[in-house]
Amino acid sequence: MKEYLKCKACGFIMDKDGAPDICPGCGVSKKVFEDYKYNLSPRRKLIMDINFHPITLHLPQAITALILFSGFLSLVTDAGWGIKFLYSVEIITYLLPLSVAATILTGMIDGKNRFKKLSTPALKKKILLASALFIITSAMPYLIYSMGIKEALLPLMGLSMIAMANEAVLSKIGIKLISAYLPG
């Protein structure tokens, strides 16, 4: 069975084998390290170590930022480049709700694995915010479909900013939960 150390200063958890002289998280001396034992079944620990949700959540964040950035570039560059940026906005906008759905699914799997239920106060809040994010990001391709990409650009950029704010709140809640889990 693997053995772990935890930095008492910042809570960073590392393998005991080959532990560094300073904490990789905060840089304090190894004098503050203490033995740490995960109180999880090997199956649950394996699922948590795969990090599906932390990995998938970066995709919608990147796409919403790219919509805003590429939309801005389509407005300020010459016609040749502007149209390329405009069509890149269109393509990634269609991918956005799919990436949000994948993030919601992996978040629910992760939440269920960590807390054995999805009805904790923090998870309820995350599910509500994620549902709102899915509605916002699903409206974006509809705007393109109904208005055309040129007419939908400014509303898309506005919805992208709203989506980014929602993602920031979701991330803030998630950061607090990243090391939390029910034992067993």
Side-chain angles (χ1 to χ4, degrees):
M1 173 153 290
K2 262 188 157 179
E3 294 182 355
Y4 300 94
L5 294 172
K6 181 178 181 179
C7 175
K8 289 191 277 184
C10 73
F12 188 88
I13 299 169
M14 64 201 98
D15 290 343
K16 194 170 192 174
D17 261 358
D21 290 335
I22 62 169
C23 174
C26 67
V28 300
S29 167
K30 70 178 180 181
K31 293 176 187 175
V32 299
F33 296 172
E34 63 185 1
D35 287 335
Y36 181 79
K37 183 177 186 312
Y38 280 100
N39 194 6
L40 286 168
S41 70
R43 181 184 157 276
R44 285 180 64 211
K45 172 113 174 49
L46 175 68
I47 292 169
M48 284 176 56
D49 286 347
I50 293 171
N51 290 310
F52 281 133
H53 183 59
I55 292 168
T56 59
L57 69 84
H58 289 87
L59 188 56
Q61 291 172 340
I63 292 173
T64 53
L66 277 172
I67 290 169
L68 192 58
F69 184 65
S70 295
F72 174 75
L73 289 175
S74 76
L75 295 171
V76 298
T77 56
D78 66 44
W81 278 101
I83 199 75
K84 290 174 185 174
F85 285 120
L86 191 62
Y87 287 126
S88 71
V89 168
E90 182 174 15
I91 292 166
I92 61 177
T93 299
Y94 284 114
L95 297 174
L96 184 55
L98 299 173
S99 69
V100 170
T103 303
I104 291 170
L105 178 63
T106 59
M108 292 177 83
I109 292 168
D110 188 67
K112 180 87 168 152
N113 186 57
R114 286 178 186 278
F115 304 110
K116 300 181 182 179
K117 58 185 176 181
L118 296 174
S119 58
T120 69
L123 292 181
K124 283 181 181 178
K125 189 173 185 177
K126 283 192 73 155
I127 290 168
L128 181 66
L129 287 166
S131 299
L133 181 61
F134 184 73
I135 292 167
I136 292 164
T137 59
S138 294
M140 294 167 75
Y142 178 76
L143 284 176
I144 294 173
Y145 176 76
S146 62
M147 299 170 69
I149 185 61
K150 286 183 181 178
E151 293 76 18
L153 182 62
L154 292 178
L156 284 176
M157 292 172 69
L159 286 174
S160 182
M161 286 190 275
I162 293 168
M164 287 172 68
N166 181 303
E167 291 163 349
V169 173
L170 281 163
S171 294
K172 190 170 183 172
I173 297 167
I175 287 168
K176 293 177 184 176
L177 299 176
I178 197 73
S179 297
Y181 60 87
L182 286 176

